[in-house]
Amino acid sequence: MQLAAETSVEDIVSTLSEGTVPRLIVIDSIQTMWTDTVESAPGTVTQVRASAQALIRFAKKSGAAIILSATSTKDGQIAGPRVVEHMVDAVAVVRG
């Protein structure tokens, strides 16, 4: 297992592309990611969508599975932009 603390999608994809691509990648949380391709703050709809799209493209190209976590409210709803719900294969809500 390898861990990294990074929020730049370009840096993440670059690092993941070096050597053997991991089979499973966990991003926590998608609302903190940002990409140079758009000019808005992390957590905005535009940044969340662009960051998720870049990570999804990497997953499809490399064959890696990616789990994107998102913050949820007390009642189990995804907090912040909900755009990612329509971009992924499945949504799981974990209540704690």
Side-chain angles (χ1 to χ4, degrees), residues 22-96:
R23 293 174 55 181
L24 176 65
I25 301 160
V26 179
I27 302 294
D28 181 30
S29 99
I30 190 62
Q31 286 108 331
T32 64
M33 299 293 117
W34 64 277
T35 176
D36 290 334
T37 62
V38 294
E39 294 183 22
S40 60
T44 61
V45 172
T46 305
Q47 278 288 356
V48 170
R49 180 185 303 123
S51 296
Q53 284 175 335
L55 292 165
I56 291 166
R57 274 193 307 275
F58 175 78
K60 288 182 177 186
K61 179 180 170 185
S62 68
I66 296 185
I67 296 174
L68 302 175
S69 78
T71 306
S72 62
T73 62
K74 290 181 183 178
D75 63 348
Q77 299 297 316
I78 294 178
R82 299 180 61 149
V83 66
V84 176
E85 290 180 76
H86 304 288
M87 299 172 70
V88 297
D89 293 328
V91 175
V93 177
V94 180
R95 300 181 197 272

